[in-house]
Amino acid sequence: MRSSMSRFFRNFGLHFANPSTSVTPALEIALEQRALFQLEVPLEKDRNLFQHLNIQALASEEVILMSPSPFFTAPENWEGKTFRFRFLTRPHPSEPPQLHMFKGKITRVGKDAQTISVTLPKDILIIEQRRNVRIKPVRKHLPQMVIWGVHKDHDATDGVRLNHRVILELNSNDDETAKSVKNISAGGIRLTVPSQILSRNKEWLGEGRKLIVQLVFQSSDRAKASRHMYVAKIVNARTEGTTRPEFGIQFLASRVSDPNPRWKKLEESGCEDLARLIQAMQVQYHTEAKQIPTPRGGGLSTKTPVPPRQRGNA
């Protein structure tokens, strides 16, 4: 559970921060949605430890957070120290979560060592997502994938034709696909493949070479499977000194299958249809990552709780 929550927070890039949002309303929404908070604990040698907690209560001067994990233990020496916190809220069910960041001092650690009290921050920043959010799909969302090479003399997107030998073919929901798909976004995919795939197809897998990529995301209704085909190119390849070479594959154009089949050039933001699919996955992962803990004895109490606001679209 902890690894999946950490992976979810990593889907958000520190692209830039908006001006600070109003502190109390932002935390009221977090309380209403039982938001997931990430506590960043600096370690030695520039390493950080991340712990994940849910908001339990909001008082006039502090926020109460509790871990959903029975294995979490907050040490007493955290009291009086300031840490960086991030938390996720959803503005609307149809929209992806928003990531907020603030610095707060831990004033108390509960007797259960699972609950902490944090001072209200002076400001809260909204952290923007990357232009193309990258996710690592869970097994049930992995696509079927086929990759073909493109002949070197057909460099223009409009004129690409297939090499009749398939370079890579992966079924959805199997071990090799889970191992191969590092992440996926509306603008591309990052793959790691066995070294023999590279050795058999070296002339087709050089930096900058064109590919055709077909992705099929299964649905509970087979008739509604989401099918995508792209002209792509290889970027940021890492092939030396590893048993599983890695390739960044950037989507350049998508296949349009109307009465006039053609390749449609993609904007910098990538494929809209794929972006919506990834957004739906992201919202689902956010929902599953949150575990509302059952109140336990020995925690912290709040004498002046602030009720959450009533919001029609929360």
Side-chain angles (χ1 to χ4, degrees):
M1 180 65 187
R2 282 180 290 179
S3 63
S4 65
M5 287 190 286
S6 295
R7 187 166 60 243
F8 183 80
F9 272 91
R10 286 199 300 270
N11 294 336
F12 293 82
L14 301 184
H15 190 58
F16 60 87
N18 282 338
S20 59
T21 186
S22 182
V23 170
T24 300
L27 290 172
E28 286 176 353
I29 294 170
L31 177 60
E32 180 183 349
Q33 298 184 4
R34 291 295 182 187
L36 186 68
F37 280 63
Q38 184 186 69
L39 162 62
E40 181 179 344
V41 182
L43 303 176
E44 58 183 18
K45 297 182 179 179
D46 297 323
R47 294 185 300 118
N48 294 314
L49 171 69
F50 296 99
Q51 299 288 355
H52 299 91
L53 307 102
N54 292 122
I55 184 169
Q56 283 294 112
L58 178 61
S60 59
E61 297 182 354
E62 60 186 14
V63 185
I64 308 299
L65 304 175
M66 179 185 289
S67 173
S69 169
F71 305 106
F72 171 82
T73 301
E76 290 184 4
N77 65 8
W78 281 2
E79 290 186 356
K81 293 183 179 179
T82 299
F83 297 94
R84 180 177 289 149
F85 293 83
R86 299 178 179 90
F87 67 91
L88 293 160
T89 57
R90 283 174 58 191
H92 188 274
S94 64
E95 298 176 9
Q98 282 187 342
L99 181 65
H100 304 73
M101 181 176 69
F102 67 90
K103 289 185 178 180
K105 180 188 292 186
I106 296 178
T107 55
R108 289 180 292 167
V109 173
K111 293 179 181 179
D112 60 357
Q114 303 246 309
T115 311
I116 60 174
S117 174
V118 182
T119 55
L120 287 182
K122 294 181 180 179
D123 53 28
I124 297 176
L125 299 178
I126 298 178
I127 305 300
E128 294 294 334
Q129 298 189 56
R130 293 185 179 97
R131 184 182 295 272
N132 286 324
V133 175
R134 302 184 185 102
I135 67 168
K136 168 71 174 177
V138 299
R139 187 175 289 266
K140 65 182 178 181
H141 290 151
L142 288 169
Q144 291 180 0
M145 183 186 312
V146 185
I147 296 178
W148 295 268
V150 171
H151 286 280
K152 201 166 188 177
D153 57 345
H154 284 72
D155 230 17
T157 299
D158 291 343
V160 297
R161 58 189 173 92
L162 298 181
N163 166 37
H164 295 294
R165 184 186 64 204
V166 172
I167 291 176
L168 182 66
E169 185 169 10
L170 295 171
N171 293 319
S172 61
N173 197 23
D174 66 17
D175 291 341
E176 184 55 36
T177 308
K179 190 183 298 184
S180 296
V181 178
K182 300 273 289 186
N183 58 62
I184 187 168
S185 75
I189 189 167
R190 186 154 190 88
L191 293 178
T192 172
V193 299
S195 56
Q196 55 266 35
I197 295 292
L198 175 61
S199 61
R200 287 199 301 262
N201 300 281
K202 203 157 190 177
E203 62 176 302
W204 303 94
L205 292 175
E207 188 91 16
R209 286 297 301 269
K210 296 283 180 61
L211 301 169
I212 290 183
V213 179
Q214 177 179 276
L215 303 175
V216 180
F217 294 88
Q218 297 300 329
S219 168
S220 55
D221 181 353
R222 287 184 175 272
K224 294 183 179 179
S226 180
R227 299 175 183 275
H228 308 262
M229 182 174 278
Y230 304 100
V231 175
K233 73 174 179 180
I234 296 175
V235 295
N236 299 325
R238 297 176 186 171
T239 60
E240 302 298 327
T242 177
T243 56
R244 290 190 67 92
E246 285 191 16
F247 300 92
I249 298 176
Q250 179 185 355
F251 301 146
L252 303 177
S254 61
R255 189 66 172 172
V256 177
S257 299
D258 59 18
N260 180 28
R262 64 195 184 280
W263 296 109
K264 179 183 177 182
K265 186 177 179 181
L266 295 174
E267 300 296 331
E268 187 178 353
S269 56
C271 175
E272 271 189 40
D273 289 343
L274 187 55
R276 283 193 290 270
L277 180 64
I278 289 172
Q279 177 180 310
M281 293 180 192
Q282 188 184 26
V283 169
Q284 182 175 339
Y285 299 163
H286 173 247
T287 302
E288 292 175 352
K290 294 195 303 179
Q291 288 186 352
I292 301 175
T294 302
R296 295 182 288 264
L300 298 169
S301 61
T302 54
K303 296 181 180 179
T304 55
V306 178
R309 296 186 303 171
Q310 297 299 315
R311 304 175 73 237
N313 292 329

